[in-house]
Every structure is written in C-alpha cells, then in structure tokens.
Amino acid sequence: MNKQSDLLQQLSLEEQLQEAQTKIHLLETMMIEQSRLAIMGEMIGMIAHQWRQPITIIGMITNNTILDVQLGESTQEQLLEDMDLIDKQVHYLSRTIDDFRNFFRQNKLPQSVTMRDISNELLTIFGKTFDNNHIALTFEGAMELEFTTYKNEILQVFLNLLSNSKDAVELKAIENPYVCITVATSSNFIVFEIQDNAGGIPDEIIGQIFQPYFTTKSEKNGTGLGLYMSSIIIEKHLFGTITAANKNQGTSFTITLPIKQDPKRAYVY
Ligand SMILES: Nc1ncnc2c1ncn2[C@@H]1O[C@H](COP(=O)(O)OP(=O)(O)OP(=O)(O)O)[C@@H](O)[C@H]1O
Ligand SMILES: [Mg+2]
C-alpha cells in the first residue's frame, strides 16, 4: 500500500516537473520571439540607412533627366545611360531586402561556414550603420576555418553584440571607436572574441547582463533581451558558452562553440 502511494507521489512529481519544464520552454520561446521582433525593428532602421543613398541617386538622375528634357538637351544615348544607372540602383535596393529576409529565415539544419562568410553577411547588414557612426569593424584570426553551425542563429548573436557596442559608443561619445572580432581554435572548439572600446560595463552590473529584461537603456531603446537571447542561443541551442569581461577600455565577449554541431542534440526555436 505504502509502496503504491509512494509510486503515485513520484509519478505526480515527475508530471509536475515535466509540466514546469514545458512552461519554461514556452516562456523562453516567447521571449526569444519578442527579442526577434525588437531586432526586426532595428533592422528596419538599418534598411533605411542602406536605402538612403540609392534613393538619393535615383532622385538626382530623375531630376537631371527632367531638366534635360525641358531644356531640349536630352539625347537618346544619355537617357539610356541614365536608365541603366537607375536599374542598377533598383537592383541594389531589392538585393538589400533579400539579404535581410534571408537573415530572418531559420536554418533547420546546421551548415558548414567560415567566419569569412559570416563577416561578409555582417558587413552587408551592419556595414552602413557602422560607417555612419564612424565605428571601425575589423576581423582577425582563423577566418577560413570551417565549422558547422546554425548560421542565422550565430549571426543573430553577433548582431546583438554589435548593436550593443554601437549603443555604448554613441552613449559615451567614444573617439575612434572600434569593434574587433578575433577567431581562434582550441581543440574541438572555435573561440570568438568580440572586443569594443566603448568604456566597458560597470562591475556592479556585469553579473546581471545575461538576465532577461536587464537593461540600462530607456524603454524605447532597449528591452534587455538581446544578451539573454544570445546566451540561450549559444548555450542551450549551440552547446557553447558566452561570457563578458571588461578589457582594454571596453567590453570583451568570448564565445566558444563546438566546431561540429550535432543536429540530433540541438533544437531550433
Ligand atoms: N558592449 C557593451 N558596452 C557597454 N555596455 C554594454 C555592452 N553590451 C551590453 N551592455 C550592457 O548590458 C545591458 C544588457 O544588454 P542587452 O543587449 O541584453 O539589452 P539592451 O541592449 O539594453 O536591450 P535590447 O538588446 O533588448 O534592445 C545593456 O543595457 C548595457 O547596459
Ligand atoms: Mg542589446
């Protein structure tokens, strides 16, 4: 009799545990979704940056053409040349949309990538924003080393880190700001160091930055989910580690990932 009630109690405990785990997973998924939405908002701002120049060029060409036609100075040759220029700009505009859309597509399977591939995508997405803020973005180390991972997930993490560095550089009006990403290997792991010179994170709060909703920014500028989501992606999804430290007048994030990602172990959000 006693054994049976023990067994029943154990069963119900297990059920409760399972229920709690399902709830936690659901909550994490919701937070990650919320953070994706926040990133999307930021992305729209970046698209606006990327689009400003081609739209100005198209506007200028159109105005010149109108003027030439009004003054009777337009030639067929000139018109064709101008249309060709407009066409090139339109292609550029549409490619930007594709780049950003690819970024939000989830990778169902891990793929083989190098930091060179990732850096190219980061520069496409972030290059203009960093240029406009005069932040030097450099990459060093084992750029050609192949590793297997969920590319968009790791891109999302880099995007969060770069976006934080940009915010800190702006807030503290840093002179000659930079972010340097270094790639190295250590046995079966690939190690990334992301170093900025934006003043670092006060010691009193550095222990809290990976907690959900922890932010020092106003409601409009930050939800406090960027680093939380990055740690979930790195630790729970890609089975790596992410840590932060103050170094060289800035913040240094270290990310360690297994060089080969086992698709059976990982689960995609
Ligand atoms: N590179 C950095 N330099 C200085 N402070 C940083 C840096 N990265 C993070 N922080 C600090 O850590 C806090 C948490 O960062 P996190 O990315 O999680 O949230 P957030 O940037 O405030 O908001 P969100 O990313 O959701 O828009 C930031 O508010 C900031 O105070
Ligand atoms: Mg952030």
Side-chain angles (χ1 to χ4, degrees), residues 39-51:
I39 290 190
M40 233 185 260
E42 223 163 289
M43 285 270 195
I44 291 173
M46 290 181 208
I47 294 182
H49 270 313
Q50 304 256 69
W51 275 20

Side-chain angles (χ1 to χ4, degrees), residues 164-165 168 196 200-201 209 214-217 222-227 251:
N164 281 343
S165 294
D196 67 28
I201 303 174
I209 57 171
F214 178 82
T215 181
T216 53
K217 298 168 194 171
T223 54
L225 285 175
L227 288 179
T251 314

Side-chain angles (χ1 to χ4, degrees), residues 13-257:
L13 265 178
E14 258 170 39
E15 268 168 16
Q16 279 177 31
L17 190 70
Q18 217 161 34
E19 206 175 307
Q21 273 169 344
T22 315
K23 271 191 190 149
I24 290 175
H25 186 212
L26 199 72
L27 210 67
E28 275 175 359
T29 316
M30 270 165 55
M31 281 183 185
I32 283 175
E33 207 44 50
Q34 195 180 350
S35 157
R36 277 223 168 106
L37 284 178
I39 290 190
M40 233 185 260
E42 223 163 289
M43 285 270 195
I44 291 173
M46 290 181 208
I47 294 182
H49 270 313
Q50 304 256 69
W51 275 20
R52 201 159 290 153
Q53 201 183 2
I55 287 178
T56 312
I57 294 176
I58 292 174
M60 262 162 35
I61 298 173
T62 331
N63 280 340
N64 287 346
T65 311
I66 293 173
L67 219 71
D68 283 349
V69 171
Q70 280 171 345
L71 296 173
E73 284 176 3
S74 75
T75 62
Q76 197 173 7
E77 213 183 352
Q78 183 66 45
L79 269 178
L80 281 175
E81 215 173 275
D82 288 348
M83 289 308 120
D84 192 45
L85 271 178
I86 290 186
D87 192 49
K88 280 205 180 84
Q89 298 302 320
V90 169
H91 273 289
Y92 176 80
L93 292 175
S94 112
R95 213 184 55 224
T96 320
I97 290 284
D98 288 342
D99 288 342
F100 281 85
R101 208 180 36 207
N102 281 341
F103 179 77
F104 274 99
R105 214 164 270 161
Q106 276 185 8
N107 304 133
K108 291 289 175 233
L109 280 173
Q111 62 188 111
S112 176
V113 284
T114 63
M115 191 57 199
R116 175 83 54 210
D117 305 327
I118 292 179
S119 70
N120 285 339
E121 297 210 23
L122 283 176
L123 286 171
T124 313
I125 296 169
F126 235 108
K128 278 272 183 322
T129 310
F130 264 50
D131 279 354
N132 288 343
N133 288 281
H134 308 290
I135 305 171
L137 176 59
T138 53
F139 298 89
E140 282 173 15
M143 295 295 285
E144 318 300 337
L145 179 87
E146 293 209 2
F147 60 107
T148 315
T149 198
Y150 292 88
K151 193 174 74 184
N152 284 359
E153 308 283 315
I154 186 78
L155 265 172
Q156 204 160 336
V157 172
F158 278 120
L159 193 80
N160 280 324
L161 299 185
L162 291 179
S163 161
N164 281 343
S165 294
K166 179 188 75 84
D167 288 348
V169 159
E170 271 175 10
L171 181 78
K172 296 186 191 138
I174 300 293
E175 261 179 59
N176 303 322
Y178 71 77
V179 179
C180 180
I181 301 181
T182 316
V183 193
T185 45
S186 139
S187 60
N188 293 328
F189 291 90
I190 183 160
V191 185
F192 305 94
E193 192 191 5
I194 301 91
Q195 169 82 54
D196 67 28
N197 65 341
I201 303 174
D203 288 338
E204 312 87 77
I205 64 165
I206 199 162
Q208 301 169 59
I209 57 171
F210 292 106
Q211 285 172 11
Y213 301 111
F214 178 82
T215 181
T216 53
K217 298 168 194 171
S218 66
E219 207 177 303
K220 185 168 83 33
N221 293 325
T223 54
L225 285 175
L227 288 179
Y228 167 71
M229 198 198 68
S230 303
S231 71
I232 295 276
I233 289 178
I234 296 290
E235 284 167 5
K236 292 210 170 164
H237 185 181
L238 304 177
F239 301 104
T241 58
I242 178 168
T243 53
N246 286 313
K247 201 174 136 187
N248 301 339
Q249 278 130 33
T251 314
S252 157
F253 283 92
T254 305
I255 297 174
T256 305
L257 288 181

